[in-house]
Amino acid sequence: MTPHADVFQDYRNQFIAALAAAADVPREDIAREVKTADPAHGDLQFPAFSLAKKLRKAPPAIAADLAAKVQVPGLDVIPAGPYVNARFAVMPFSARVVDAVRAAGTAWGHNAEGQGRTVVIDYSSPNIAKPIAFHHIRSTVIGHALANLYRAGGWRVEGINYLGDWGKQFGLVAVGYGDFGDPARRGEMAHLVEVYVKANKKAEADPAYDEKARAFFKRMEEGDGEALKLWREFRETSVEQFGKVYARLGIRFEHMEGESFYQDRMDAVIEEIRRTVGVRESDGALIVDMPYAENEPPVLLKKNDGSTLYATRDLAAAMDRHARFHFDRALYVVATDQALHFRQFFTVLKRMGKPFAENMVHVNFGRVHGMSTRAGQVVLLTDVLDEARARALEKVRENAKAGRIHTDNPEELAEQVGLGAVVFGDLKNKRTSDYEFDWEQVLSFEGHTGAYLQYTHARACSILRKGGGAPASADAALLVLPEEQAVLRALAALPGAVRQGIEDNEPSHVARVLLEVAAAFSRYFTAGNQDATKRVLLDGNDPLRHARLMLTDAVRLTLRSGLAVLGVPAPEYM
RNA sequence: GCUCCCGUAGCUCAGUUGGAUAGAGCAUUGGACUACGAAUCCAAGGGUCGGGCGUUCGAAUCGCUCCGGGAGCGCCA
C-alpha cells in the first residue's frame, strides 16, 4: 500500500494547495469548498463565492484569476462563471488508477490509517429465546461489514457477539415450557421461540404469570442449580442454531459472549457507581442518582426484587472490554429503538469518570417495517435465505439450460447469489433509514441489486478468461473512450468510500461506489455489442486489447475487494 | 402529553455535510441478442424535494412553524 494510492484524493489535495497559494488564503478555507463536480463540468469544482468578501472582487473575476494562476500537472483547469473547474487529463490519471488498483489487488481501497488502533464492535447480539426474525439481519450484516471496513482501514478489530442470554425472558421460556413445552421438541430452536411467544402473551395478560417468570430469573441470579441447568440447555440449543446462520453468512466473531458473563460482577459495579456517581432507592428499585430530564426514566440497576437489569450488565461489560482491549473506539450496532438506553448508559460511564466513554458510539439503524408475514408468523432469517436460494436456483438452471453459464455446483452458486441479494439489499441503503420489507424486493436479482454486482464481476472474469488473462503491462493512455474514463473514475472512488465508511460507520458508502463501478462497466461492455471497435477482445495483438484487458482486471479487483468488505460472495461464473 | 427520527418520481431509495439544469432502481412504454453470456444496456414519460415563513450570493440540505408518519418515555432487552 503506497501512501498515495488514493489517486482521487491526491488530485484534490494538489488542486486545493494550488488554489490556496494562488489566492493567498489558508488551505482549510479552500478545502471546505472544493467538491467533486458534475461530470459535465469536470472532476473537481471550486465555487469562488466564499472569497468574494475577503478579496473584494466579484466571484467570476476571482475564478478567472485563479484559473490562470493554478497549474497542476495532469489537471486541466477551466474557469466557468464563478467556478474554477478542473478535469483529470487522460494521462497520467488513467495510468495512475490502473497501476494503483493492480498494485493493491484484492486489497484495493484499503488504507493503513487505523494502524495501531483497536475497535470493539458489538454486533448481531441476538436475544436467546426470543424470535430470530428477519430484522436481525440488520445488526448482523451491518456489524460484519463494519468489522471488515475497519480491518480494511488497518484497525485491529474485536468483534463481539454479545448474546442476550440473561434476563427475565429466560424465566418466561422456563415457566412457559411447563405449560406449552413439548419434550420431544426440546432441542429445537423454533420450538423455544414458540414457547416464548406464547408465554410472553400470557404474561402480558396475567401479572401473576409475569411474576412467576421474574421469580425464575431471580432464582437464576441466586445460583439455583436446577434453574441454571435448564438455562444452560436452552442457551446451548440457541447458540447451536445461531452458529448455522453465521456459518452461512460467512461470519466469524472474535468473541462469543453474553450478558450472563457478568452476573458475578454486579455487586462490584454497583459499588463503584455508588462511590462515584451515587445510587438511591426509588419505588423499591435501585437507580443511579443523577439529574434526569423531565419525563426521562432513571437508570435502573436493580429491580425491587433485587435482580439486575441489562443496564447494569452493559456497564460491567463496557468496563471489562476496555480493560481487556484498551479500545480506541467501541461500537454498538443496535437498533435505534434503544437510543435512550445508550445515551444514558454512556452518560453514567462519563459521570463515573471513564474517559473511554467518549469513544463509544451507538451505531443505530432503522426498523424493518411491513413484515407482512405469509402465515401470520414472524419471518425468520433462514426462511428468507432459503427462499432467496430457491429463486436463484431457478435462474441458474434456466441460464445453464440456455448455455449461458456452466457450473458444476448450481446449488452453491444459487446460495451465493441468494445471499448476495439479501445482504446487499440491506447494506445499499443508509443504515439509519427504516427498512421496508418486501419479498419481491428482497429477493430481486434485477436492477441494482447484489446479483447485479456479482453478475458484473462474473462478466469481467469471463472476458479475462477469454482474453487469456490480464497482461503484465499495457498502455493506459489508450483508454480514451468516455465509457472507459467513466469506469476509471468509478474505480478511483473506492478508497474514499472506505475512509468515509469508517468515519461515518456507514457501509452503504462502499455499496454505492460498487454500484457505480458495475453500472459504468456494464455500459462499457454492452457498448461493444453495437460497436465492435469498443470491445475488449479485439483481434490479434493489439495494444488496445491489452489496455482494455488491464482495465477489465481492475474492475474485477475492485468489485472483489468491495464485495468482500460487504460480506457478499463474488463467484467467478454466474 | 414530552423527547428524538423521518417526509424527494406511482413504489423503494440516493443526493458529495450550503453550490451549477434534483438523480438511480422497480413499475409503465418503445428499442438492442447469428454479438466480449440480455441476471445486461439504450431511450421516453413521470418532481410545487409535505405546506408556509425565514437565514444569504445560493436551500432538498440550516432555523422557526404547521401538517403527516415512526420510535422512545422504571423495574423487558
Side-chain angles (χ1 to χ4, degrees):
Chain A
M1 215 47 211
T2 66
H4 299 292
D6 189 341
V7 177
F8 187 84
Q9 175 117 32
D10 273 1
Y11 277 105
R12 186 170 184 274
N13 287 339
Q14 288 178 54
F15 186 48
I16 290 167
L19 283 165
D24 193 27
V25 297
R27 290 187 51 160
E28 302 77 61
D29 292 358
I30 303 289
R32 256 200 313 276
E33 304 280 339
V34 170
K35 319 272 179 190
T36 67
D38 183 307
H41 300 117
D43 289 300
L44 295 165
Q45 61 157 284
F46 171 71
F49 304 102
S50 61
L51 295 179
K53 263 179 243 155
K54 192 174 286 181
L55 302 181
R56 297 174 163 280
K57 274 167 75 177
I62 296 171
D65 182 43
L66 290 178
K69 285 185 192 163
V70 167
Q71 285 198 1
V72 178
L75 212 52
D76 299 328
V77 179
I78 315 115
Y83 295 88
V84 183
N85 296 327
R87 189 184 293 280
F88 306 148
V90 170
M91 287 297 271
F93 173 71
S94 305
R96 290 192 58 189
V97 173
V98 171
D99 289 349
V101 175
R102 299 190 70 200
T106 52
W108 170 236
H110 294 201
N111 66 70
E113 287 172 15
Q115 209 69 259
R117 292 202 280 168
T118 299
V119 61
V120 170
I121 309 180
D122 180 322
Y123 69 105
S124 197
S125 305
N127 281 321
I128 280 171
K130 275 192 180 177
I132 307 308
F134 176 76
H135 66 263
H136 284 95
I137 188 99
R138 300 227 68 189
S139 176
T140 308
V141 155
I142 292 168
H144 183 217
L146 287 173
N148 293 334
L149 209 42
Y150 275 87
R151 278 189 207 101
W155 291 65
R156 184 163 71 99
V157 174
E158 302 288 353
I160 302 178
N161 191 357
Y162 184 59
L163 301 169
D165 66 353
W166 202 247
K168 195 187 78 181
Q169 77 267 28
F170 256 99
L172 272 171
V173 176
V175 171
Y177 197 78
D179 297 323
F180 313 110
D182 175 357
R185 300 181 59 202
R186 195 170 172 133
E188 277 180 47
M189 175 74 201
H191 186 50
L192 286 188
V193 170
E194 278 170 34
V195 169
Y196 171 81
V197 171
K198 285 179 185 166
N200 192 44
K201 205 168 179 184
K202 184 161 179 182
E204 276 170 8
D206 178 6
Y209 203 74
D210 190 59
E211 199 52 49
K212 277 171 79 177
R214 282 181 63 169
F216 189 94
F217 174 56
K218 190 157 193 292
R219 277 171 59 200
M220 282 165 57
E221 286 223 308
E222 286 164 350
D224 181 296
E226 209 176 313
L228 288 175
K229 192 174 164 224
L230 196 60
W231 167 76
R232 223 169 274 122
E233 182 195 315
F234 289 162
R235 185 184 195 277
E236 199 58 35
T237 300
S238 300
V239 168
E240 208 175 294
Q241 279 299 314
F242 296 157
K244 288 182 190 168
V245 178
Y246 294 135
R248 207 168 164 184
L249 292 170
I251 298 176
R252 275 183 35 237
F253 297 91
E254 277 75 19
H255 311 278
M256 271 290 229
E257 296 173 7
E259 295 184 49
S260 61
F261 200 68
Y262 298 103
Q263 52 180 293
D264 60 352
R265 304 198 201 178
M266 297 293 87
D267 289 340
V269 170
I270 291 171
E271 183 48 40
E272 188 176 344
I273 296 169
R274 183 196 309 279
R275 224 178 47 236
T276 52
V277 188
V279 299
R280 68 182 162 87
E281 248 187 60
S282 168
D283 296 336
L286 190 69
I287 67 168
V288 178
D289 191 14
M290 61 179 194
Y292 295 99
E294 202 177 340
N295 242 325
E296 185 188 5
V299 178
L300 275 83
L301 298 170
K302 275 187 170 182
K303 304 180 220 173
N304 57 21
D305 69 0
S307 61
T308 61
L309 284 132
Y310 75 125
T312 328
R313 298 190 282 275
D314 270 353
L315 288 162
M319 289 186 271
D320 175 58
R321 288 173 189 181
H322 187 258
R324 282 200 285 163
F325 305 120
H326 307 286
F327 58 75
D328 299 280
R329 203 177 285 184
L331 312 181
Y332 290 83
V333 185
V334 179
T336 305
D337 310 18
Q338 294 196 40
L340 175 63
H341 164 68
F342 282 103
R343 205 162 57 232
Q344 291 191 320
F345 159 40
F346 296 160
T347 302
V348 173
L349 283 173
K350 283 172 196 167
R351 286 181 166 264
M352 288 173 77
K354 309 286 184 190
F356 64 78
E358 302 290 345
N359 303 318
M360 298 174 69
V361 184
H362 175 204
V363 178
N364 63 320
F365 55 83
R367 292 168 58 87
V368 182
H369 282 128
M371 290 264 287
S372 58
T373 61
R374 284 172 170 177
Q377 281 189 331
V378 284
V379 181
L380 299 182
L381 177 51
T382 47
D383 290 347
V384 176
L385 294 180
D386 287 348
E387 184 69 23
R389 177 175 54 198
R391 290 209 189 185
L393 189 56
E394 278 179 44
K395 187 79 185 167
V396 168
R397 293 239 156 92
E398 187 185 302
N399 281 345
K401 208 171 177 182
R404 290 206 188 93
I405 59 169
H406 16 272
T407 170
D408 42 9
N409 197 342
E411 272 85 10
E412 193 196 340
L413 180 56
E415 169 75 355
Q416 291 181 314
V417 174
L419 216 63
V422 176
V423 172
F424 187 79
D426 196 289
L427 293 176
K428 75 175 171 189
N429 291 328
K430 268 202 334 236
R431 56 163 224 274
T432 48
S433 51
D434 285 359
Y435 194 104
E436 197 65 38
F437 182 83
D438 175 42
W439 280 100
E440 291 313 310
Q441 205 166 306
V442 167
L443 303 178
S444 171
F445 304 134
E446 281 169 16
H448 287 184
T449 62
Y452 180 57
L453 301 182
Q454 293 173 322
Y455 176 75
T456 310
H457 173 262
R459 289 296 299 273
C461 289
S462 171
I463 291 171
L464 286 162
R465 277 194 300 270
K466 286 197 174 135
S473 66
D475 185 4
L478 301 173
L479 301 171
V480 295
L481 290 176
E483 290 95 334
E484 291 163 343
Q485 289 291 306
V487 169
L488 287 164
R489 276 162 179 74
L491 301 181
L494 189 62
V498 169
R499 200 179 311 102
Q500 196 65 41
I502 290 170
E503 193 176 317
D504 301 341
N505 295 310
E506 183 57 84
S508 71
H509 289 139
V510 171
R512 299 275 160 198
V513 165
L514 296 186
L515 286 175
E516 274 301 313
V517 171
F521 189 67
S522 293
R523 270 193 287 276
Y524 179 48
F525 74 66
T526 46
N529 286 347
Q530 295 296 326
D531 183 350
T533 66
K534 291 187 174 178
R535 293 194 192 177
V536 174
L537 301 181
L538 301 164
D539 290 334
N541 210 17
D542 198 326
L544 191 50
R545 173 185 164 111
H546 291 314
R548 289 175 175 177
L549 276 170
M550 190 165 68
L551 178 65
T552 303
D553 193 42
V555 168
R556 186 197 119 240
L557 290 166
T558 302
L559 289 173
R560 263 196 72 175
S561 172
L563 286 171
V565 165
L566 299 180
V568 174
E572 297 186 0
Y573 296 82
M574 170 173 174

